[in-house]
Amino acid sequence: DIQMTQSPPSLSAFVGDRVTITCRASQSISSYLNWYQQKPGKAPKLLIYAASILQSGVPSSFSGSGSGTDFTLTISSLQPEDSGRYYCQQSYKTPYTFGQGTKLEIK
Amino acid sequence: EVQLVESGGGLVQPGGSLRLSCAASGFTFSSHWMHWVRQAPGKGLVWVSRIKSDGRSTSYADSVKGRFTISRDNAKNTLFLQMNGLRVEDTAVYYCASDPDICTGGGCYSNFNFWGQGTLVTVSS
């Protein structure tokens, strides 16, 4: 199975900060990488697919980059509503696997 | 508006069975792959199973292979997960998710674009 490793496990930042979360795959997955946001008690929400394509309706402050094994999710200007847990997920091959998540808190 | 509504969760003893359903509306169900993803209490997301749009291809996580069966009824816009031989470690919120499997010149990109609210399965004696 492909292992997905996210860093950091958690982070805290101020409103307006630029925030970056990284995700590393245990083997090359080309651009088959998705990012999700999950708030407590809610279902995940798709943010980015194919490593860099913004899902419809997602604020343009979110962006994704990378290919191969290393990927990043960037929030250009952090807003209070961006708090939550973020997961990367590879769709290169089954079993599809998720990173362990990054908890983002607003200071 | 896209809606995915799961049902069928509950408390079951180890070794028991449950059948989860996911009623879809607001999109062309028959043209989407569909998945089940689960989340144990306080833990991360784990992919469980997927089924092709026409129902002719399925895949499973090793942890559920041989015990769970995914199926769909495109006439009724409904996805199912038959869970047999349930174990304590199957305790989780189970989400259904749609997958448009977007194809570009670079390939076909699977993603979970819409999710249901989840249904809790608790396996305990």
Side-chain angles (χ1 to χ4, degrees):
Chain A
D1 297 1
I2 299 173
Q3 307 302 315
M4 305 301 293
T5 304
Q6 286 182 235
S7 62
S10 65
L11 75 147
S12 182
F14 291 100
V15 170
D17 281 353
R18 181 182 182 89
V19 169
T20 298
I21 298 170
T22 66
C23 178
R24 175 164 288 177
S26 60
Q27 67 178 76
S28 177
I29 58 171
S30 184
S31 296
Y32 293 88
L33 191 283
N34 305 316
W35 289 98
Y36 302 87
Q37 175 196 63
Q38 186 178 33
K39 294 185 177 287
K42 299 294 187 181
K45 171 187 174 183
L46 177 66
L47 300 175
I48 302 281
Y49 65 93
S52 62
I53 300 176
L54 193 68
Q55 171 70 352
S56 176
V58 174
S60 58
S61 56
F62 290 88
S63 64
S65 64
S67 66
T69 60
D70 295 312
F71 302 87
T72 60
L73 173 70
T74 299
I75 307 173
S76 61
S77 179
L78 192 64
Q79 299 301 306
E81 60 268 25
D82 297 334
S83 65
R85 188 171 292 273
Y86 291 79
Y87 294 92
C88 62
Q89 174 247 330
Q90 64 84 15
S91 62
Y92 182 74
K93 63 177 181 180
T94 60
Y96 294 153
T97 45
F98 291 86
Q100 80 280 16
T102 294
K103 185 176 182 179
L104 173 59
E105 294 181 329
I106 311 297
K107 286 182 181 176
Chain B
E1 179 193 7
V2 171
Q3 279 201 311
L4 294 169
V5 180
E6 301 97 337
S7 60
L11 175 64
V12 62
Q13 292 188 336
S17 298
L18 278 177
R19 189 192 197 203
L20 305 184
S21 299
C22 170
S25 61
F27 67 104
T28 308
F29 180 75
S30 59
S31 66
H32 282 63
W33 288 70
M34 294 295 296
H35 301 258
W36 289 98
V37 176
R38 69 185 182 184
Q39 187 170 36
K43 303 297 184 182
L45 300 167
V46 177
W47 176 82
V48 173
S49 181
R50 73 170 182 179
I51 186 168
K52 192 177 178 182
S53 52
D54 61 7
R56 294 186 178 186
S57 175
T58 60
S59 301
Y60 298 91
D62 284 347
S63 59
V64 307
K65 200 172 294 182
R67 300 187 298 123
F68 290 12
T69 303
I70 191 171
S71 62
R72 64 192 296 161
D73 184 340
N74 283 348
K76 296 184 177 179
N77 289 349
T78 305
L79 174 72
F80 303 101
L81 186 67
Q82 178 67 43
M83 304 186 295
N84 299 330
L86 282 161
R87 305 168 179 168
V88 171
E89 55 266 33
D90 294 320
T91 295
V93 173
Y94 284 73
Y95 295 101
C96 63
S98 60
D99 178 358
D101 197 30
I102 297 169
C103 296
T104 70
C108 291
Y109 294 90
S110 174
N111 63 75
F112 309 144
N113 64 341
F114 293 107
W115 298 64
Q117 84 288 352
T119 187
L120 176 63
V121 172
T122 303
V123 185
S124 174
S125 55

